[in-house]
Amino acid sequence: MGVRDIFCCLRCLFPAKASYAELDGASQGVELPAPAPAVIGQQAPPPREPSGNEGDSLDAGSSRRAKAQILEKLPAMGASIRLLRSKMSCNDLREVMEAIEALPDVVELECGCLGIGDDGAEVVADVLGTGDLVHRLTSLSLWGNGITDAGCSKLCKTLKERGAENLTSLVLSNNDIADGGVQACAELLATGKVPLRSLDLSVNADVANTAVSSFSRKMMGVPNVSLVSLNLSNNSIGDPGALSLAEWMASSSASCVRELDLSFNFVGNQGVLAFERIGLRTRVDTNGCLEVNRCLE
């Protein structure tokens, strides 16, 4: 078990207190503190769990009784569904996903640290592949689930084929994605059918130079990429990967990209200078932060 897996298990064992939406649909988000910084080249700290300003956290539990509780509470949760920090079987997940599919107001879905793996990602893809939910979603988050390239590719293929025309945010952080999954995300962006503005692939330790170089080459040939924010922090990217990203950022394809997070990787001076030479702002500190921003005109 790696360090990232231990962090994820700790979050599952000691979750933040969840709250439920009131029957009138009112809800509240849960803000968690940011992690302590780490030095470049050392194991990065666990990421702050994604949290929105709206929506409600639901600690799903691992038993069928908990699943029944989820199904009971779902109609009152409004437009933003958050299922967090529990182990869930694929059969239970399918039943919950089908119930979510039937709710016409749902536009945001977060499934965090459920332990669903590739089989669970396939369940999510199957449900999105058959109903209207895929056309309504504006945000989809599957962080901390042990998803590999296989699950990521299946999900991206479904989003691409169905045409998730309102999806602007995709979070696949804290998984086990590598070259194949990053390439699948690139192909999803390249279709132009899914208007992603934010893509989060942070905390995937196998995302390294080869993955981001392939991503950059794929994006170079795509006009007017919709992406505004790309999070690649807490991965294994070095100067070669940073140089390929800088080359892409200098092209017209990346003209919309305003934020690139490479914090807690292995990027040195060569990579930093590559961004600065093309007129991008960099924010670097000794704690491991490396953020690249495009100045607004």
Side-chain angles (χ1 to χ4, degrees):
M1 177 178 290
V3 175
R4 293 182 300 107
D5 299 318
I6 294 173
F7 283 132
C8 187
C9 290
L10 288 174
R11 286 197 301 269
C12 294
L13 290 172
F14 303 102
K17 186 179 293 184
S19 58
Y20 295 96
E22 301 294 337
L23 292 179
D24 62 2
S27 59
Q28 57 185 346
V30 180
E31 284 295 333
L32 300 175
V39 177
I40 290 177
Q42 294 185 352
Q43 174 65 42
R48 185 175 67 86
E49 296 175 0
S51 177
N53 293 324
E54 297 183 359
D56 204 86
S57 298
L58 184 66
D59 190 341
S62 58
S63 67
R64 291 193 175 277
R65 182 177 63 181
K67 181 192 70 176
Q69 187 179 52
I70 293 172
L71 295 175
E72 179 184 355
K73 294 290 184 179
L74 280 178
M77 292 183 71
S80 184
I81 303 295
R82 300 175 65 202
L83 309 176
L84 307 178
R85 309 179 191 91
S86 291
K87 301 300 180 183
M88 183 179 291
S89 72
C90 286
N91 288 336
D92 288 346
L93 178 63
R94 185 176 296 277
E95 190 170 345
V96 169
M97 282 297 302
E98 289 173 350
I100 293 172
E101 161 69 38
L103 299 174
D105 295 330
V106 175
V107 295
E108 297 180 355
L109 175 61
E110 178 180 0
C111 299
C113 208
L114 299 182
I116 58 177
D118 287 338
D119 290 341
E122 186 169 349
V123 167
V124 174
D126 286 346
V127 175
L128 292 179
T130 57
D132 294 330
L133 179 61
V134 69
H135 300 299
R136 300 196 307 269
L137 282 181
T138 61
S139 176
L140 175 61
S141 177
L142 297 176
W143 62 272
N145 285 300
I147 297 170
T148 71
D149 287 350
C152 180
S153 297
K154 173 67 175 178
L155 179 67
C156 288
K157 181 180 179 182
T158 297
L159 296 173
K160 179 172 61 176
E161 291 179 349
R162 291 300 310 279
E165 65 270 20
N166 290 307
L167 189 67
T168 59
S169 175
L170 179 61
V171 178
L172 294 168
S173 62
N174 207 349
N175 282 296
D176 296 308
I177 294 168
D179 297 6
V182 175
Q183 186 67 15
C185 290
E187 292 172 359
L188 176 63
L189 284 165
T191 65
K193 296 180 180 179
V194 181
L196 282 182
R197 293 176 60 82
S198 176
L199 176 61
D200 188 346
L201 291 169
S202 62
V203 201
N204 285 281
D206 291 328
V207 172
N209 295 322
T210 301
V212 295
S213 295
S214 297
F215 178 90
S216 299
R217 286 194 298 271
K218 181 70 175 179
M219 292 293 94
M220 287 283 286
V222 180
N224 302 319
V225 175
S226 60
L227 204 61
V228 173
S229 176
L230 177 60
N231 189 345
L232 294 172
S233 64
N234 293 264
N235 292 326
S236 302
I237 302 165
D239 281 337
L243 291 173
S244 66
L245 286 166
E247 183 180 2
W248 170 54
M249 291 283 284
S251 72
S252 59
S253 169
S255 60
C256 289
V257 181
R258 301 296 179 190
E259 300 173 355
L260 171 62
D261 194 343
L262 289 171
S263 300
F264 309 116
N265 279 283
F266 302 97
V267 179
N269 290 336
Q270 185 181 14
V272 174
L273 289 173
F275 292 112
E276 294 179 348
R277 287 193 190 101
I278 61 174
L280 300 179
R281 287 180 180 173
T282 60
R283 187 172 77 86
V284 185
D285 63 34
T286 57
N287 292 321
C289 173
L290 171 54
E291 296 176 353
V292 181
N293 295 279
R294 191 184 302 278
C295 300
L296 295 174
E297 299 293 340

